[in-house]
Amino acid sequence: MREPEGRTFRYRAAQSRDELMAAWSDEMIDRLIDDYGQIALARLDDRLQSLDSERRAKLRAARRAK
């Protein structure tokens, strides 16, 4: 975003880093599902099930922070 400042403009991010990462992640997941369908979902589920407990806890925390 830009805001006038004197004879120039001051620019600032339109989204936070977390918002941008969430949007990019959603786009990548959508493309993965569009390209590979149910196989992608099944493989993702397999990968999530095989995560160690520490990573699972981090994912749960990230989901709650959303």
Side-chain angles (χ1 to χ4, degrees):
M1 301 187 76
R2 74 179 193 173
E3 299 169 351
E5 185 175 288
R7 295 184 353 199
T8 63
F9 292 95
R10 176 179 296 266
Y11 290 87
R12 64 182 172 84
Q15 296 178 310
S16 71
R17 181 181 188 281
D18 287 345
E19 290 170 330
L20 180 61
M21 294 301 289
W24 282 355
S25 297
D26 286 343
E27 288 177 25
M28 288 186 348
I29 292 167
D30 288 343
R31 281 197 313 250
L32 184 68
I33 293 168
D34 288 344
D35 291 347
Y36 299 100
Q38 297 301 317
I39 292 171
L41 293 174
R43 295 297 298 148
L44 181 58
D45 183 54
D46 288 346
R47 295 293 295 269
L48 291 171
Q49 297 303 319
S50 68
L51 292 177
D52 60 66
S53 60
E54 183 178 337
R55 278 193 144 165
R56 281 185 176 192
K58 286 180 181 179
L59 283 174
R60 279 192 217 81
R63 185 181 304 150
R64 283 191 296 269
K66 182 180 173 184

